[in-house]
Amino acid sequence: MTSVWDDVVGQEPAVEVLRHAIEDPAAMTHAWLLTGPPGSGRSNAARAFAAALQCASGGCGVCHDCTTTLRGLHPDVTVVATEGVFIRAETARPLVELAQRSPSQGRHRVIIIEDADRLNDTSGNSLLKAIEEPAGRTVWILCAPSPQDVLVTIRSRSRSVALRVPPVDAVAALLVSRDGIDPTVAAIAARAAQSHVGIARRLARDPDARARRSAVLGIAAKIRGVGDAVLAAGELVETAQADAKAATEQRDAEEKAALLRSMGAEGAATLPPTLRTQVRQLEEDQKRRATRAQRDVLDRAMVDLLSLYRDVLVVQLGAGVELVNIEHEASVRALAEASTPEQTLRRMDAVGQARTRLAGNVAPLLAVEAMAVALRPQG
């Protein structure tokens, strides 16, 4: 039977809480905080919850309210997802007024913030009163990796629902049933993505994505000294920049062309000063988006490296668990034989520290070089 929850895989306890809130008004509240690790399906769960709130049947999955919400087209469901490092105040402030409006045609006005962890003090505080005292039919749904990633003032005013990492088998089954992926490929992709549904789908459908991941995992075996480390770091950052550019370049050009067209300046050799400001603002927004895209690519590469060293540690300790990177088993065993568990743990710490530095706005090349140097063999 079709339901809005069909794509929220492996999250039965969380879904049960959200279903109960829809069925029992006493269990409902005005602000929800959905937390879980990357790939747990926070955004999918938020959209499914929004659809169920709008649906007269509580989330049938086929009615107009369900389908328009899931496709991002419902007039009373607003989704905010930043492509910058932070959600800026100018993005947050209009939501305050929106939260006070009655829904135009749905049962609720729902505001989803997919990256609530990217609210800074200014943007977060501008939303505080609206989240604390919204209009009677307004529901906020905030998403973040963990409650600690959200400003404490907002966290304390929201009901938290924790999502978990879904089982690999559940993700693979979803790829087979929804995307028609070969079961063997689906299983490998789901395991390599560590149950991240979006990444698993990309790995299963895009051979280039699988090749890029293999190249990242190959870095561990290539680094024999400081020189190798510096070269590997440069290659990794350049690849991340190229991936980010490929992902944003066409969109940037289309956005600029659309802006110039809307201002009647398409094809103009020079722009009057009044129009230059708007173009400059767009270019700044695009630059922030490219910065985040590059850091997201680098962070994912580091997560992949952590999965490799996790496998190395599993072999070194003789743990009877399945490897994440089964197709790279030979490389894993070679690394395990050439190092000790203590060295593997130090390497994992170095990767984790690089991720922390990137999140703290350290220059990507410096952070990755320091990590790569720490990955070299040490007697």
Side-chain angles (χ1 to χ4, degrees):
M1 186 174 179
T2 302
S3 164
V4 295
W5 306 104
D6 288 348
D7 286 352
V8 186
V9 297
Q11 305 296 345
E12 290 79 10
V15 169
E16 181 59 33
V17 170
L18 299 176
R19 280 182 183 272
H20 180 59
I22 293 167
E23 296 166 358
D24 181 4
M28 189 60 192
T29 188
H30 63 280
W32 296 80
L33 176 59
L34 306 186
T35 62
S40 57
R42 298 187 301 260
S43 297
N44 283 348
R47 291 172 187 266
F49 187 32
L53 285 168
Q54 301 293 13
C55 177
S57 302
C60 67
V62 295
C63 70
H64 180 73
D65 284 318
C66 284
T67 54
T68 54
T69 299
L70 294 176
R71 291 166 59 196
L73 301 175
H74 197 290
D76 295 320
V77 179
T78 301
V79 179
V80 178
T82 181
E83 291 175 318
V85 177
F86 297 109
I87 296 177
R88 300 166 67 82
E90 52 263 39
T91 300
R93 290 191 187 106
L95 301 177
V96 176
E97 179 187 353
L98 182 65
Q100 299 305 314
R101 297 183 195 165
S102 297
S104 60
Q105 68 180 49
R107 294 153 57 88
H108 299 273
R109 179 166 297 284
V110 183
I111 302 174
I112 300 172
I113 301 183
E114 290 191 346
D115 304 285
D117 53 308
R118 295 183 184 267
L119 289 165
N120 57 23
D121 289 341
T122 304
S123 57
N125 288 332
S126 69
L127 292 179
L128 188 57
K129 192 71 172 177
I131 291 176
E132 187 176 27
E133 299 176 5
R137 294 166 67 190
T138 295
V139 178
W140 292 84
I141 306 176
L142 313 177
C143 304
S146 75
Q148 290 71 34
D149 291 321
V150 179
L151 295 172
V152 65
T153 48
I154 291 178
R155 184 171 77 228
S156 64
R157 289 160 174 80
S158 309
R159 181 178 177 185
S160 184
V161 177
L163 280 67
R164 61 191 181 187
V165 176
V168 169
D169 291 345
V171 175
L174 179 67
L175 294 178
V176 172
S177 63
R178 189 173 65 180
D179 299 296
I181 304 297
D182 176 78
T184 302
V185 174
I188 292 173
R191 194 181 302 108
Q194 297 177 73
S195 294
H196 189 301
V197 177
I199 292 173
R201 180 179 292 112
R202 187 167 72 246
L203 290 174
R205 300 172 64 177
D206 184 359
D208 289 339
R210 295 197 293 270
R212 284 194 296 270
R213 185 177 187 276
S214 292
V216 168
L217 297 183
I219 288 174
K222 285 168 56 177
I223 296 176
R224 310 306 302 171
V226 173
D228 293 334
V230 172
L231 289 174
E235 290 175 7
L236 188 57
V237 172
E238 285 177 9
T239 300
Q241 289 172 335
D243 285 352
K245 184 177 181 180
T248 60
E249 191 171 31
Q250 182 177 353
R251 182 177 172 186
D252 290 350
E254 291 173 351
E255 287 177 344
K256 187 172 182 178
L259 176 62
L260 293 175
R261 189 162 51 250
S262 69
M263 297 187 300
E266 188 175 20
T270 58
L271 295 175
T274 54
L275 301 185
R276 289 178 200 158
T277 301
Q278 296 182 55
V279 173
R280 191 179 306 116
Q281 181 62 54
L282 173 64
E283 290 173 345
E284 289 175 358
D285 290 343
Q286 291 174 340
K287 185 177 180 181
R288 282 191 288 269
R289 182 168 65 202
T291 298
R292 177 177 172 184
Q294 179 189 352
R295 293 187 181 185
D296 286 348
V297 170
L298 282 174
D299 187 70
R300 186 64 218 177
M302 291 176 187
V303 170
D304 290 334
L305 277 174
L306 280 174
S307 76
L308 182 77
Y309 286 120
R310 172 263 189 199
D311 287 347
V312 171
L313 195 61
V314 164
V315 172
Q316 289 174 328
L317 299 179
V321 296
E322 193 173 34
L323 300 182
V324 170
N325 302 283
I326 290 179
E327 67 277 23
H328 295 273
E329 184 174 0
S331 177
V332 167
R333 294 194 177 278
L335 286 167
E337 292 175 5
S339 61
T340 65
E342 292 76 16
Q343 289 172 327
T344 302
L345 287 172
R346 284 198 294 270
R347 286 168 172 167
M348 295 177 77
D349 285 342
V351 178
Q353 189 174 37
R355 295 184 70 198
T356 301
R357 286 170 174 166
L358 278 177
N361 285 337
V362 171
L365 185 57
L366 291 177
V368 177
E369 280 184 352
M371 176 197 76
V373 168
L375 299 183
R376 74 190 194 281
Q378 298 180 27

